[in-house]
Amino acid sequence: MAEQAQKSDKDRRIISCLQCFKPQDMLPNHLLRVCMKDHTDEERKAEVERGKKSMKAWTLRGRTWDYNTMVKRYPDPDRLFWKT
Ligand SMILES: [Zn+2]
């Protein structure tokens, strides 16, 4: 039984907020109170889904870099769309 308790504790999901790039264990609450407090419930829900999806993508790749690294590498998102 102790094993089970340990597992559920481990399963507590930490999702990074894609607005401030900080890991949140209560992302819906965090969005509501901090990063997306002026947004609608639907927008926040979509943002939580977005966070979950990127966590899944990171986990699948076994990495934790990603968005933060990309932001540093491409500080100007417009540059990604430049064509030469
Ligand atoms: Zn945030």
Side-chain angles (χ1 to χ4, degrees):
M1 305 313 123
E3 211 172 285
Q4 206 163 3
Q6 213 171 19
K7 188 169 184 278
S8 67
D9 194 46
K10 236 182 189 174
D11 280 352
R12 215 172 62 157
R13 294 229 195 140
I14 308 281
I15 302 173
S16 283
C17 171
L18 297 180
Q19 305 291 317
C20 65
F21 301 109
K22 287 179 189 151
Q24 304 295 337
D25 59 359
M26 293 287 286
L27 183 57
N29 258 348
H30 164 78
L31 292 177
L32 179 67
R33 291 164 60 183
V34 186
C35 283
M36 293 183 78
K37 56 185 171 192
D38 298 326
H39 292 245
T40 66
D41 280 352
E42 298 221 323
E43 282 171 323
R44 278 190 295 267
K45 219 170 132 187
E47 188 64 14
V48 171
E49 285 305 309
R50 207 159 73 89
K52 281 185 192 166
K53 273 184 195 156
S54 15
M55 282 314 278
K56 207 171 169 186
W58 294 350
T59 308
L60 285 175
R61 271 180 268 161
R63 298 198 182 174
T64 49
W65 56 274
D66 245 280
Y67 216 99
N68 287 307
T69 310
M70 268 175 63
V71 169
K72 275 179 208 148
R73 199 180 294 170
Y74 305 110
D76 180 3
D78 287 344
R79 206 179 294 174
L80 290 172
F81 302 105
W82 278 1
K83 288 184 180 136
T84 44

